[in-house]
């Protein structure tokens, strides 16, 4: 029983790791937009209501929005923004701990492009803000400002009607995507991870929920929408000026890259009036603590997996230990040790139960041979045997079952934590979010797993199961070769504690 459970737990862990590492859920059929239709709607396309009112005089503009080269740059402490003449964003170059990353992948699709078919002229610029103005029948002023430390930034579009006739400003599409770039170590996996998402308040749920966009969303109740991947997020808040969302995708290096278009509300600009549209946006890493301070539920974009409550606790403890050690590698070791200490009583109970089951094996095998044709008698004799040894076939199960969510939570935390990106440990480990460049940690982990197998009680004599257990260290070693070194470090500490516990029990003759 114990051996079956161990194998089941190990295999389930293996499946979990493989699934969340390489297997991608099937995509829903999307109502795709033609990427060539990216340009904003021509402002001549007024509604039928506006036509009937006969109050609207059309603004003559080109049919195609003008493509512009990068001509402006603004920056803050964390990022540089390269802008086109209409202030659409051509590049967001984030200064990461290891390298600078340009988050925008396809320069044919600048982010936050809107009303680009006007001839804009710069009227003011500082290091972190720029304002441009276009004059025709109406005046359109755009101001893009970045915040200190690249928190919540803004693009303000102001319409002014200096004339005597009203004008109709139709619905317009403001685009995010396609795709979002990432750090070098994640480039290969990135196309499988980027997605378009939005958040909204679902009835009966305390916190906002996040949904993946795979088709048009025709409601205006969304809180924010974004393009994201494992480590980065480009999100736009809904301040009530927007309608629904349109999904689109295009091809980037042979991969389908998702994007989303935000639909603005149509409005009438009366004579001698102004109207502002403010677009608040965040573009940077998915730092859980930072995103939580920004509000709007942006921190929910950090995927903590099925066992999120445990993962959030682990993440908080990790940051706490880092605060006192200034080394995330040491923080992982302390967190792993703390978990093992807390779980020690349960682990001891499990190991002792396995030891008792090992001692019972000869008698169990004898009973099974003698009464193999009489299952009812065999079960009765086995129950008497359990009573004789004071054993419970399930006594070792619960401690292991309790550890399952803890392991999965740690796996998700260490795999997705932005804090580990660029975090040094010792010597050659310069990035705990990346694999060990010399594979020292995975090989050490494999060796410790062999030692752990050798010293752990082997209660089941089944050759097939024994063979599986022997191969498990090899399988895990190859699997962990490309895993973040922070995750491998946790597994090493876990194995060390398991070996120490088994050695102590053997010395005390408890098993």
């Amino acid at each position: 029983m114990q051996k079956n459970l161990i194998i089941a737990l190990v295999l389930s862990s293996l499946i979990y790791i493989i699934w969340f590492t390489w297997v991608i859920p099937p995509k829903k059929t999307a109502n795709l937009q033609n990427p060539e239709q990216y340009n904003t709607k021509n402002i001549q396309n007024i509604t039928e209501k506006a036509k009937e009112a006969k109050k609207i005089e059309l603004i003559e503009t080109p049919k195609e929005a003008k493509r512009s080269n990068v001509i402006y740059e603004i920056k803050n402490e964390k990022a540089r923004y390269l802008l086109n003449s209409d202030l659409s964003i051509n590049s967001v170059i984030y200064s990461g701990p290891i390298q600078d990353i340009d988050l925008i992948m396809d320069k044919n699709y600048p982010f936050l492009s809107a009303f680009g078919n006007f001839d804009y002229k710069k009227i003011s610029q500082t290091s972190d803000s720029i304002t441009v103005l276009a004059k025709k029948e109406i005046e359109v002023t755009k101001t893009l400002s970045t915040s200190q430390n690249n928190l919540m930034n803004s693009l303000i579009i102001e319409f002014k009607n200096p004339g005597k006739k009203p004008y109709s400003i139709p619905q317009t599409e403001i685009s995010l995507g396609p795709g979002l770039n990432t750090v070098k170590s994640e480039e290969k996996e990135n196309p499988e991870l980027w997605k378009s998402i939005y958040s909204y308040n679902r009835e009966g749920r305390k916190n906002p929920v996040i949904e993946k966009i795979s088709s048009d969303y025709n409601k205006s109740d969304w809180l924010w929408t974004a393009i994201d991947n494992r480590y980065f997020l480009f999100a736009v808040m809904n301040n009530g000026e927007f309608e629904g969302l349109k999904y689109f995708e295009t091809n980037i290096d042979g991969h389908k890259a998702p994007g989303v278009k935000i639909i603005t509300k149509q409005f009438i600009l009366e004579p001698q009036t102004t109207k502002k549209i403010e677009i608040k946006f965040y573009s940077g890493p998915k730092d859980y603590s930072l995103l939580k301070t920004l509000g709007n539920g942006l921190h929910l974009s950090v995927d903590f997996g099925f066992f999120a409550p445990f993962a959030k606790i682990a993440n908080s403890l990790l940051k706490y230990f880092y605060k006192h050690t200034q080394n995330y590698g040491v923080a992982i070791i302390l967190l792993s040790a703390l978990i093992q200490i807390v779980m020690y009583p349960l682990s001891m109970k499990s190991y002792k139960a396995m030891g008792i089951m090992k001692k019972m094996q000869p008698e169990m095998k004898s009973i099974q041979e003698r009464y193999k044709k009489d299952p009812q008698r065999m079960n009765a004799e086995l129950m008497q045997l359990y009573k004789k040894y004071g054993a419970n076939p399930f006594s070792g199960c619960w401690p292991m079952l309790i550890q399952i969510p803890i392991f999965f939570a740690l796996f998700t935390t260490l795999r997705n934590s932005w804090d580990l990106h660029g975090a040094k440990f010792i010597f050659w480990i310069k990035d705990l979010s990346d694999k060990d460049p010399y594979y020292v940690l995975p090989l050490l982990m494999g060796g410790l797993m062999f030692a752990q197998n050798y010293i752990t009680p082997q209660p089941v004599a089944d050759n097939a199961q024994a063979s599986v257990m022997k191969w498990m260290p090899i399988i895990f070693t190859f699997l962990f070769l490309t895993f973040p070194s922070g995750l491998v470090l946790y597994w090493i500490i876990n194995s060390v504690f398991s070996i120490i516990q088994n050695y102590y029990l053997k010395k005390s003759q408890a098993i």
Side-chain angles (χ1 to χ4, degrees):
M1 175 64 192
Q2 296 296 324
K3 196 68 172 183
N4 288 331
L5 180 63
I6 294 172
I7 293 175
L9 293 179
V10 173
L11 289 178
S12 65
S13 301
L14 189 63
I15 292 170
Y16 182 93
I17 293 170
I18 293 173
W19 179 266
F20 284 96
T21 305
W22 290 293
V23 180
I24 303 301
K27 294 182 179 180
K28 298 178 182 178
T29 302
N31 297 330
L32 301 182
Q33 303 286 320
N34 185 344
E36 296 301 322
Q37 297 175 347
Y38 158 78
N39 295 326
T40 58
K41 294 181 179 179
N42 193 298
I43 204 167
Q44 295 177 355
N45 296 329
I46 60 175
T47 62
E48 290 298 321
K49 181 178 179 180
K51 287 181 179 179
E52 292 173 2
K54 296 183 179 180
K55 294 167 59 179
I56 310 302
E57 185 173 300
L58 302 182
I59 301 174
E60 295 182 2
T61 55
K63 292 183 179 180
E64 296 291 336
K66 296 178 181 178
R67 293 289 183 189
S68 304
N69 295 321
V70 174
I71 58 174
Y72 302 123
E73 177 180 335
I74 58 175
K75 61 183 179 180
N76 53 34
E77 293 84 350
K78 296 291 185 179
R80 292 188 297 124
Y81 291 78
L82 305 184
L83 312 172
N84 296 322
S85 62
D86 63 347
L87 299 194
S88 56
I89 303 175
N90 193 272
S91 292
V92 179
I93 304 173
Y94 186 83
S95 298
I98 296 179
Q99 63 186 108
D100 290 350
I101 305 107
D102 188 353
L103 298 182
I104 298 180
M105 303 194 68
D106 192 336
K107 305 309 178 184
N108 292 316
Y109 296 88
F111 281 37
L112 301 187
S113 177
F115 300 100
N117 46 359
F118 288 87
D119 187 14
Y120 291 94
K121 303 294 183 183
K122 182 178 73 172
I123 59 175
S124 68
Q125 183 176 1
T126 64
S127 61
D128 59 1
S129 178
I130 184 169
T131 300
V132 296
L133 170 67
K135 290 185 178 181
K136 211 157 192 173
E137 288 85 347
I138 64 171
E139 297 178 4
V140 181
T141 304
K142 286 186 174 185
T143 301
L144 196 149
S145 303
T146 65
S147 64
Q148 187 175 10
N149 290 318
N150 199 50
L151 300 179
M152 196 62 74
N153 309 303
S154 72
L155 171 64
I156 297 176
I157 307 175
E158 180 179 301
F159 303 87
K160 181 179 180 180
N161 183 358
K164 298 181 179 180
K165 297 180 180 180
Y167 287 88
S168 174
I169 310 300
Q171 288 184 336
T172 299
E173 299 173 355
I174 301 173
S175 63
L176 304 179
L180 198 67
N181 209 359
T182 190
V183 297
K184 188 175 181 180
S185 61
E186 289 287 321
E187 285 179 350
K188 184 177 180 180
E189 190 178 19
N190 192 40
E192 300 174 352
L193 297 175
W194 62 37
K195 57 186 180 296
S196 304
I197 56 176
Y198 71 98
S199 176
Y200 69 101
N201 288 313
R202 181 184 292 174
E203 186 177 353
R205 295 286 294 271
K206 180 180 178 180
N207 297 315
V209 296
I210 293 178
E211 298 284 354
K212 181 180 177 181
I213 305 174
S214 57
S215 60
D216 294 350
Y217 184 74
N218 298 317
K219 297 180 181 179
S220 59
D221 62 346
W222 53 277
L223 303 175
W224 53 267
T225 185
I227 303 295
D228 84 331
N229 51 32
R230 184 186 300 284
Y231 286 131
F232 291 98
L233 179 77
F234 194 114
V236 169
M237 311 300 116
N238 186 358
N239 60 1
E241 298 287 351
F242 306 119
E243 296 286 355
L245 304 168
K246 286 188 176 182
Y247 176 83
F248 74 98
E249 63 183 37
T250 188
N251 188 289
I252 296 180
D253 296 331
H255 301 280
K256 291 182 179 179
V260 60
K261 296 178 181 180
I262 303 164
I263 310 303
T264 65
K265 292 181 178 180
Q266 175 176 317
F267 61 90
I268 304 298
L269 191 64
E270 299 291 347
Q272 304 300 313
T273 62
T274 61
K275 168 72 175 178
K276 287 185 179 180
I277 298 176
E278 183 174 13
I279 303 170
K280 289 186 173 295
F281 66 95
Y282 171 80
S283 54
K286 291 164 69 172
D287 183 328
Y288 183 79
S289 299
L290 184 149
L291 293 178
K292 200 166 185 179
T293 64
L294 297 180
N296 298 296
L298 281 175
H299 63 287
L300 300 174
S301 63
V302 181
D303 183 13
F304 281 118
F306 185 75
F307 298 103
F310 293 99
K312 290 175 183 177
I313 294 173
N315 188 62
S316 297
L317 288 171
L318 199 62
K319 293 180 77 69
Y320 173 80
F321 287 131
Y322 173 76
K323 182 180 178 181
H324 289 83
T325 63
Q326 296 301 303
N327 187 305
Y328 269 109
V330 177
I332 291 171
I333 292 173
L334 293 176
L335 177 60
S336 305
L338 176 63
I339 292 172
Q340 292 301 318
I341 291 170
V342 171
M343 298 300 297
Y344 177 75
L346 293 175
S347 299
M348 292 292 284
K349 185 176 181 180
S350 176
Y351 289 140
K352 287 179 179 180
M354 291 168 66
I356 292 172
M357 294 295 290
K358 180 182 179 181
K359 293 177 182 178
M360 291 170 54
Q361 281 303 305
E363 294 183 55
M364 289 179 66
K365 189 173 182 180
S366 175
I367 291 173
Q368 290 167 347
E369 286 293 328
R370 277 185 289 159
Y371 302 109
K372 60 183 177 181
K373 294 183 179 181
D374 188 353
Q376 188 173 357
R377 176 69 184 278
M378 180 176 66
N379 289 333
E381 292 292 331
L382 287 174
M383 291 305 294
Q384 287 297 319
L385 184 64
Y386 289 136
K387 187 176 181 181
K388 172 185 173 182
Y389 280 89
N392 184 332
F394 301 102
S395 61
C397 298
W398 295 113
M400 292 185 180
L401 291 175
I402 292 173
Q403 292 183 63
I404 290 177
I406 295 175
F407 165 73
F408 287 162
L410 278 171
F411 171 81
T412 308
T413 301
L414 298 177
R415 185 103 170 111
N416 295 335
S417 175
W418 167 255
D419 297 314
L420 295 185
H421 175 64
K424 297 179 181 179
F425 178 35
I426 55 172
F427 307 126
W428 71 98
I429 305 297
K430 300 184 183 299
D431 182 3
L432 285 165
S433 71
D434 198 4
K435 67 180 182 180
D436 182 336
Y438 303 112
Y439 307 111
V440 174
L441 291 183
L443 293 175
L444 175 60
M445 182 201 74
L448 288 171
M449 288 186 70
F450 271 113
Q452 185 180 352
N453 262 3
Y454 178 78
I455 200 171
T456 301
Q458 307 293 324
V460 177
D462 186 278
N463 290 332
Q465 293 182 4
S467 179
V468 169
M469 294 303 292
K470 287 179 180 179
W471 278 98
M472 202 58 66
I474 298 175
I475 295 172
F476 267 65
T477 298
F478 277 98
L479 183 66
F480 275 58
L481 286 176
T482 57
F483 273 22
S485 51
L487 184 63
V488 183
L489 181 60
Y490 159 73
W491 199 280
I492 287 173
I493 302 303
N494 181 65
S495 296
V496 169
F497 267 81
S498 297
I499 291 171
I500 293 172
Q501 287 173 352
N502 275 281
Y503 182 79
Y504 168 76
L505 288 171
K506 279 195 171 185
K507 282 293 184 181
S508 64
Q509 298 182 345
I511 59 175

